[in-house]
Amino acid sequence: MDGFECAGHPGEEDTGNFVLLPIAARRLSIPFVASGGVGDGKQLAAALALGADGINMGTRFMATKEAPIHPNIKAALVKGDERSTTLVMRTLRNTERVYKNKTAMEVRAIEAKKPGDIMAIRHLVRGENYRKAFQETGAAESAVWSCGIVMGLIDSIPSCQDLMDG
């Protein structure tokens, strides 16, 4: 279950995990995991208490030594806080939570003038830009890239083992 806190595509209903997870637990008869806003054991415990069977920690694992992304992107995650994301592509009903940078803000400005026009923003949101920033340049400002508000809990770049041993 993707709560509104998540990186990437949180859906269009803006429902956070504190409400979404108990609803899922009532309505589903299969195991499910909680995504969005999970950065440490406290959120794991909360997700389990709210009915999830496990968690997904995407943004937090991006800022680990083993993550195969450019060190500058990892540094941006450490530097950022819970207010360092923004939502783009809302006018397309394909909302994405991304790092709040100059490119994301340009997308928002274009969307305000040309709502629902993917061609107007396509050059800014295409996946190739994301790949180049993550794999080649490390230019955190040059692409629209997904990350969650859990950035507010990220203050280091540990190994995965150290993160889990926490």
Side-chain angles (χ1 to χ4, degrees), residues 2-81:
D2 261 354
F4 188 60
E5 308 87 346
C6 77
H9 298 280
E12 304 305 318
E13 301 303 322
D14 302 356
T15 305
N17 273 331
F18 268 93
V19 173
L20 186 63
L21 298 179
I23 290 172
R26 287 181 188 173
R27 296 184 184 168
L28 296 176
S29 59
I30 59 171
F32 66 92
V33 298
S35 288
V38 181
D40 63 29
K42 293 179 182 110
Q43 286 83 35
L44 168 61
L48 295 174
L50 293 169
D53 295 282
I55 58 163
N56 170 38
M57 275 193 345
T59 300
R60 184 62 191 97
F61 275 111
M62 287 169 59
T64 59
K65 291 177 182 174
E66 294 89 342
I69 61 177
H70 199 283
N72 292 353
I73 301 296
K74 296 176 189 186
L77 292 169
V78 172
K79 183 180 177 186
D81 63 26

Side-chain angles (χ1 to χ4, degrees), residues 10 12 33 43 47 50 56 61 69 84 96 99 119 129 137 149 151 163:
E12 304 305 318
V33 298
Q43 286 83 35
L50 293 169
N56 170 38
F61 275 111
I69 61 177
S84 297
E96 183 178 7
Y99 184 67
M119 296 312 288
N129 300 348
T137 68
I149 63 173
M151 275 196 301
L163 178 62

Side-chain angles (χ1 to χ4, degrees), residues 10-165:
E12 304 305 318
E13 301 303 322
D14 302 356
T15 305
N17 273 331
F18 268 93
V19 173
L20 186 63
L21 298 179
I23 290 172
R26 287 181 188 173
R27 296 184 184 168
L28 296 176
S29 59
I30 59 171
F32 66 92
V33 298
S35 288
V38 181
D40 63 29
K42 293 179 182 110
Q43 286 83 35
L44 168 61
L48 295 174
L50 293 169
D53 295 282
I55 58 163
N56 170 38
M57 275 193 345
T59 300
R60 184 62 191 97
F61 275 111
M62 287 169 59
T64 59
K65 291 177 182 174
E66 294 89 342
I69 61 177
H70 199 283
N72 292 353
I73 301 296
K74 296 176 189 186
L77 292 169
V78 172
K79 183 180 177 186
D81 63 26
E82 68 279 6
R83 298 166 307 226
S84 297
T85 69
T86 191
L87 300 169
V88 297
M89 299 194 293
R90 285 208 91 142
T91 65
L92 297 165
R93 297 198 48 78
N94 189 26
T95 301
E96 183 178 7
R97 182 177 302 283
V98 300
Y99 184 67
K100 189 188 294 182
N101 61 21
K102 66 178 186 167
T103 306
M105 299 314 287
E106 183 178 351
V107 169
R108 288 184 54 127
I110 293 169
E111 278 194 278
K113 293 177 187 169
K114 297 180 180 183
D117 184 355
I118 185 66
M119 296 312 288
I121 61 172
R122 181 174 169 249
H123 66 289
L124 297 169
V125 299
R126 64 191 191 109
E128 180 60 11
N129 300 348
Y130 201 138
R131 186 198 64 76
K132 281 184 181 177
F134 271 47
Q135 301 301 317
E136 295 174 13
T137 68
E141 293 290 321
S142 70
V144 173
W145 51 276
S146 298
C147 59
I149 63 173
V150 75
M151 275 196 301
L153 299 175
I154 298 173
D155 57 10
S156 65
I157 303 171
S159 69
C160 290
Q161 185 65 55
D162 288 344
L163 178 62
M164 297 285 61
D165 291 344

